[in-house]
Amino acid sequence: MPHTVALLAAASGEQGPGSTLRIVLLASLVGAVLLGWFLLRGYRNDDNND
């Protein structure tokens, strides 16, 4: 089994956490924007709250 892991690690074209880190960062940014939109939506004043 260790030989298989070493072979797959050597055969992979991209080394390191580059693409995974990019996906996590993008998902975090999208989540922060959606959370901000959701929270700030409640403070909107449409002059309909009599």
Side-chain angles (χ1 to χ4, degrees):
M1 188 62 135
H3 299 292
T4 307
V5 173
L7 182 64
L8 289 174
S12 68
E14 189 172 331
Q15 298 289 326
S19 58
T20 304
L21 191 61
R22 212 172 292 137
I23 290 170
V24 168
L25 185 62
L26 183 63
S28 299
L29 287 174
V30 170
V33 168
L34 287 174
L35 180 64
W37 171 77
F38 182 74
L39 290 175
L40 290 175
R41 191 176 65 140
Y43 294 109
R44 185 175 49 192
N45 189 3
D46 291 337
D47 292 335
N48 291 333
N49 47 357
D50 292 333

